[in-house]
Amino acid sequence: MTETPTIPVHLRRIGFDPIDELGRLRENEGVTRVVTSFGIPAYLVTRYEDVREVLSDPVRFSNAHARHPLPNGAQPSEEEITQRRAGQLLAFDPPEHTRLRRMLTPEFTVRRIRRLVPRISAIVDSHLDDLQRAGAPADLVSGFALPIPSLVICELLGVPYADRAEFQQRTRRQLDISVPIKERMALHRESREFMRVQVARAQAAPGEDMLGMLVREHGEELTTDELIGIAGLLLVAGHETTANMLGLGTLALLRHPEQLAMVRDDPDLVEPAVEELLRWLSIVPSGIPRTTTTSVTLAGHVIPAGELVVCSLPAANRDPALVAAPERLDIARGTPGHVAFGHGVHHCLGAPLARMEMTIAFPALLRRFPGLSLAVPFEEIGFRAHHVVFGVHSLPVTW
């Protein structure tokens, strides 16, 4: 019988909120020892300024040095580690990270993403039409929150949307810490094989999508393994995070009906609402752990060289040093400076796309169904307690 692993303190929530213990750790210790979901000891950083310091300094807090062995015989071979790291922007520091990122940055500028507005709007409207035709009640996760970003990223990358069920199910289990580590490693290998097929197709006949662009414009600079790594990262990040923000964000607004009405009725409040929802929900609890390259001091605690450091983004985003009354959702304030997308050189590359999808999807949903409400009691909503990306399993609604 497989035991469900203990959820690390920085991943635990009660409803939308991080547990009180996380707030107490931020207020009292600032830095504490924890065990990650992979069973590896680490230092947890909880205060806003300290989190920003870690994320902005790849020299002392390295992404490239994280080579801590996995327990339970799940450690991959050196050859597999090298393959898996190739193209993974989150596994490198500058200058290698800079080399990879500069090839992708032009595709994710605000100006370039704005060109996608008509297509994203059409995708959103099409799924709203489908919901309306099918009638209430409906699951907003499977019918709206998940398919919209999946279709957008599939079209951008050139991955067949017909394969979405396969990669969605696999990604969901990869990010579920209740799944045994060996199985998660096997799922990662399956994902890599899926992307290898997509890359081979692009290399044989480059299209107008992002994979085709990388092959045409950077094929001499990027190895096949790097193309696989880049494409895999973009596919997972491009659908999993935005999908959970759409589902969980809608639930948060349903629990704050006066703020829901403001998002629905005032176009000027949509962008600030998205920023506040990003801060308040912080669906990515920690991002990629860093490794200290030298002895450092944070919040009065000495962290030796070679130690794993995990940043709690929910704790940082609910630090009174960032905003007043941080536990309160207040869409009017907008919350500039939050770290929901990270900070520094690894700030989320796809942030402009995610923001655009949300600013289109939230008001479109609320205007199409002005009577939107939960179809079940709030207490029956199942939160993804064991997942690396926080969200809800389903969201039954009516209108």
Side-chain angles (χ1 to χ4, degrees):
M1 183 175 178
T2 303
E3 286 189 15
T4 300
T6 301
I7 304 175
V9 63
H10 58 288
L11 299 184
R12 293 184 218 159
R13 310 234 185 174
I14 299 176
F16 300 108
D17 303 320
I19 61 170
D20 291 342
E21 182 183 349
L22 193 60
R24 287 194 294 271
L25 286 172
R26 181 188 60 225
E27 183 179 348
N28 298 322
E29 288 89 355
V31 173
T32 191
R33 292 284 273 171
V34 296
V35 176
T36 71
S37 57
F38 282 98
I40 303 170
Y43 286 84
L44 179 68
V45 181
T46 56
R47 293 175 184 166
Y48 176 72
E49 290 299 337
D50 293 333
V51 165
R52 280 172 59 95
E53 181 178 345
V54 172
L55 298 183
S56 64
D57 187 351
V59 175
R60 292 186 302 152
F61 302 95
S62 170
N63 280 39
H65 286 73
R67 300 294 295 274
H68 300 263
L70 296 176
N72 303 326
Q75 186 69 17
S77 67
E78 284 299 315
E79 180 183 2
E80 186 176 359
I81 289 173
T82 301
Q83 276 192 331
R84 287 176 54 184
R85 281 171 53 83
Q88 290 287 337
L89 280 78
L90 297 176
F92 293 100
D93 302 324
E96 181 63 11
H97 169 266
T98 310
R99 178 184 79 87
L100 294 169
R101 185 160 175 139
R102 70 173 173 79
M103 302 179 198
L104 295 167
T105 299
E107 301 299 312
F108 288 99
T109 61
V110 172
R111 183 175 180 181
R112 184 69 63 91
I113 295 302
R114 280 179 181 151
R115 297 179 188 175
L116 300 175
V117 168
R119 181 58 186 142
I120 295 173
S121 297
I123 290 170
V124 168
D125 287 342
S126 173
H127 284 83
L128 290 174
D129 290 343
D130 291 343
L131 282 173
Q132 196 162 25
R133 262 192 305 271
D139 176 14
L140 211 61
V141 169
S142 62
F144 185 76
L146 185 56
I148 289 171
S150 294
L151 181 51
V152 170
I153 198 64
C154 281
E155 289 190 359
L156 275 177
L157 277 176
V159 173
Y161 186 57
D163 294 333
R164 68 193 181 281
E166 176 188 346
F167 69 70
Q168 285 170 358
Q169 182 179 16
R170 188 166 49 234
T171 299
R172 194 175 300 121
R173 289 190 63 74
Q174 274 181 254
L175 299 178
D176 184 344
I177 65 170
S178 68
V179 173
I181 292 177
K182 284 185 179 180
E183 183 179 340
R184 279 186 271 162
M185 295 298 101
L187 289 165
H188 184 92
R189 296 182 188 104
E190 291 176 19
S191 295
R192 182 176 174 77
E193 177 59 22
F194 174 79
M195 291 314 306
R196 186 192 65 76
V197 172
Q198 311 308 318
V199 167
R201 191 184 66 249
Q203 288 173 322
E208 296 303 312
D209 49 71
M210 199 175 298
L211 260 182
M213 176 278 293
L214 288 170
V215 170
R216 282 195 312 275
E217 298 182 15
H218 304 288
E220 305 251 330
E221 304 170 72
L222 292 168
T223 67
T224 295
D225 281 339
E226 285 176 326
L227 283 167
I228 292 170
I230 289 170
L233 176 62
L234 293 177
L235 181 63
V236 171
H239 82 268
E240 186 71 20
T241 50
T242 307
N244 282 288
M245 270 303 301
L246 288 175
L248 197 63
T250 300
L251 179 60
L253 291 173
L254 288 171
R255 297 293 288 173
H256 297 80
E258 72 294 341
Q259 301 196 55
L260 181 152
M262 293 161 68
V263 175
R264 182 190 64 218
D265 300 335
D266 188 345
D268 291 337
L269 283 176
V270 175
E271 289 186 13
V274 166
E275 298 306 315
E276 174 69 347
L277 287 167
L278 284 163
R279 177 200 73 85
W280 196 68
L281 296 171
S282 297
I283 62 165
V284 178
S286 59
I288 300 297
R290 271 66 169 171
T291 301
T292 50
T293 60
T294 185
S295 177
V296 296
T297 301
L298 284 175
H301 297 263
V302 176
I303 304 176
E307 294 290 337
L308 209 60
V309 174
V310 174
C311 291
S312 173
L313 303 185
N317 278 335
R318 294 201 180 193
D319 190 334
L322 173 61
V323 291
E327 303 302 323
R328 188 181 75 240
L329 179 69
D330 179 2
I331 63 164
R333 63 182 163 195
T335 324
H338 68 73
V339 290
F341 285 123
H343 180 67
V345 297
H346 289 287
H347 181 271
C348 177
L349 180 68
L353 176 60
R355 284 185 166 109
M356 185 63 69
E357 290 177 285
M358 285 185 276
T359 56
I360 291 171
F362 280 130
L365 170 68
L366 301 178
R367 290 168 192 159
R368 179 71 68 95
F369 303 114
L372 192 72
S373 61
L374 287 177
V376 298
F378 174 73
E379 293 72 23
E380 293 183 14
I381 299 295
F383 290 90
R384 293 167 31 133
H386 291 91
H387 282 253
V388 175
V389 180
F390 189 58
V392 290
H393 293 289
S394 63
L395 187 57
V397 295
T398 188
W399 52 82

